[in-house]
Amino acid sequence: MGNQEYTTALDNFFKKVKIEAEKLNNKNQPVKVNATDGLFEKELKKIIDLHLPLTELNESYNFKTNSKAGGFNSVDFIESKLNTLIREKIGNDGYHYKNPLQAHITYIKKYAFKYLTELHEKLKFSGTITSSFDVLKNAVDDRLLDLDPEIAEQLMLAFKSVSSRNKEEWSHALTTCRRLLESLADKLYPANDLVIGKRTFKQSQFVNRLWQFMNDSIESESNRDLAQTHVNFLGSWLEKTNKLTNKGVHDDVSQLEATKAVFHLYLMLADLLDYLDPSATKQSTKPQIAKASLDELEALLNVRRDVAKAIVIARVKYNGLTLEQLKEVKGVGPKTLVTAQEVFEFN
């Protein structure tokens, strides 16, 4: 944002890089920055102390050392200069140029979006007391996030609900547990018409389907008897959780009952996910364009706000969005389509 504490540190570092570049007498030859050889140690230490990511230095250098792009000026200054050039329909004012300014703003947006997304992931669902249980909770949450973010969110919300002082939240936590188990069964062992050992696997029989997933996932014959006992033990906890969940719909639930159900669910999931084939968790890390926010569309596609709004309107119109439908949105050109394919998943 132009804070001098940061810009001064970067400016000192970049000046030294320029000096080294001039010594090379070849602008096309990159300066190799090595923090261990003492040459840039002082400058890099300041940058690290300010928590500026070293991975961003290359791209930051390109913009901050370019006066045409606004250099070390604040975001407000850069935006103001850019808006003036756009309003007056000129490419430059002799000092600042429209395209470099626009590229600089785009870089800032992308960096800010990346930084805030990572910060949000660290802070959401926080605020609970750190304990040994957090080790288990964090491990289960991470595995579920790989498997299915929506199921993971259900579990996190259930845990958050039992920490509330509101009695209704305790009941909601148990209802969420049941929905989570149903969703997990749908994900790991979908409903079917098979009959195995007098056990059926209809849509409502999510406990049976989770049991069978455990049976199918443990391949070692030497551990078969032990595995069967383990599955039955987990199944008994599923039944108890189910009964508490049903009680939560019709009757008052104590905080202790709700907490026990959620904790046992975490313990059961920790065991169950250990048997999960790692390949089953491999999902695209790309966000769905059908669920992307207006800010995400603008930042990740590098489009104007009005174009991002048009994409949202088209998404509502088509109840989703395919690449061909995106192509028809006004303001979306070939370059945006290529970017969209790289950063988003389509219907």
Side-chain angles (χ1 to χ4, degrees):
M1 301 298 291
N3 187 318
Q4 289 188 355
E5 184 180 16
Y6 298 93
T7 57
T8 300
L10 286 174
D11 191 24
N12 290 336
F13 172 72
F14 292 154
K15 283 177 180 177
K16 195 155 190 179
V17 171
K18 277 189 171 183
I19 292 173
E20 293 303 313
E22 290 172 359
K23 290 179 181 178
L24 294 173
N25 292 321
N26 185 352
K27 293 182 179 179
N28 294 323
Q29 186 175 348
V31 175
K32 295 181 180 179
V33 175
N34 188 343
T36 61
D37 63 8
L39 184 61
F40 299 100
E41 185 176 358
K42 180 180 177 182
E43 290 77 11
L44 283 176
K45 184 180 184 304
K46 181 64 175 177
I47 289 173
I48 293 171
D49 289 344
L50 291 170
H51 305 290
L52 294 171
L54 300 182
T55 54
E56 295 290 330
L57 290 181
N58 252 357
E59 195 167 7
S60 180
Y61 179 87
N62 293 333
F63 292 110
K64 300 305 181 184
T65 60
N66 184 359
S67 60
K68 295 180 180 179
F72 285 105
N73 287 295
S74 68
V75 176
D76 284 343
F77 177 90
I78 298 170
E79 285 186 326
S80 176
K81 285 295 180 182
L82 177 62
N83 290 334
T84 299
L85 296 178
I86 292 174
R87 185 172 60 252
E88 295 178 0
K89 296 181 180 181
I90 57 176
N92 66 84
D93 62 1
Y95 299 97
H96 302 97
Y97 288 66
K98 185 170 71 173
N99 289 341
L101 288 170
Q102 180 66 68
H104 195 173
I105 287 293
T106 299
Y107 164 70
I108 292 171
K109 283 183 178 180
K110 286 184 177 180
Y111 177 77
F113 180 77
K114 177 183 175 184
Y115 172 80
L116 292 173
T117 299
E118 292 173 351
L119 183 62
H120 177 258
E121 289 300 319
K122 289 179 181 178
L123 296 180
K124 71 178 181 180
F125 307 115
S126 64
T128 56
I129 298 175
T130 301
S131 67
S132 58
F133 178 75
D134 287 339
V135 176
L136 171 67
K137 179 181 180 298
N138 293 336
V140 172
D141 288 346
D142 286 345
R143 291 294 301 276
L144 272 183
L145 281 168
D146 288 335
L147 177 67
D148 191 309
E150 291 184 6
I151 296 177
E153 186 173 0
Q154 286 179 324
L155 182 59
M156 294 175 191
L157 289 174
F159 183 79
K160 188 177 181 181
S161 294
V162 297
S163 303
S164 170
R165 296 183 179 180
N166 188 336
K167 290 184 177 181
E168 291 184 1
E169 289 292 323
W170 306 339
S171 178
H172 290 162
L174 294 180
T175 304
T176 301
C177 287
R178 178 185 175 87
R179 290 173 180 166
L180 184 150
L181 293 175
E182 291 175 338
S183 299
L184 191 62
D186 291 342
K187 184 77 176 181
L188 300 180
Y189 198 93
N192 57 67
D193 296 325
L194 295 176
V195 178
I196 303 176
K198 297 182 180 181
R199 187 175 292 161
T200 56
F201 311 99
K202 304 299 182 183
Q203 183 62 39
S204 61
Q205 297 171 307
F206 59 90
V207 171
N208 281 1
R209 290 190 280 130
L210 286 174
W211 278 356
Q212 194 58 41
F213 169 79
M214 291 291 290
N215 277 327
D216 292 346
S217 299
I218 304 172
E219 298 179 355
S220 173
E221 292 184 7
S222 62
N223 291 332
R224 185 66 61 194
D225 291 340
L226 178 61
Q228 184 62 53
T229 302
H230 193 181
V231 171
N232 288 336
F233 174 76
L234 293 174
S236 69
W237 276 120
L238 286 174
E239 286 185 343
K240 290 181 180 180
T241 303
N242 187 27
K243 289 177 182 178
L244 283 175
T245 302
N246 289 334
K247 181 181 178 182
V249 175
H250 303 293
D251 199 358
D252 287 336
V253 177
S254 71
Q255 187 175 26
L256 179 59
E257 284 179 322
T259 302
K260 285 168 62 179
V262 173
F263 274 41
H264 280 304
L265 184 58
Y266 264 104
L267 291 169
M268 184 276 296
L269 287 172
D271 286 326
L272 187 149
L273 291 173
D274 277 344
Y275 292 109
L276 183 63
D277 180 357
S279 64
T281 66
K282 291 181 180 178
Q283 297 188 0
S284 172
T285 57
K286 296 180 181 179
Q288 289 281 342
I289 196 168
K291 298 179 180 180
S293 67
L294 194 63
D295 290 334
E296 287 176 319
L297 292 171
E298 182 183 4
L300 296 180
L301 292 180
N302 187 23
V303 295
R304 301 189 309 275
R305 193 73 171 181
D306 60 327
V307 176
K309 289 180 180 179
I311 293 173
V312 172
I313 293 172
R315 194 170 67 187
V316 173
K317 176 182 177 182
Y318 296 117
N319 192 27
L321 203 64
T322 65
L323 189 62
E324 287 300 316
Q325 290 166 342
L326 176 63
K327 187 178 180 180
E328 301 301 319
V329 175
K330 186 176 180 181
V332 174
K335 186 177 179 180
T336 302
L337 289 173
V338 172
T339 303
Q341 287 180 289
E342 292 176 351
V343 300
F344 285 118
E345 284 288 340
F346 287 81
N347 291 3

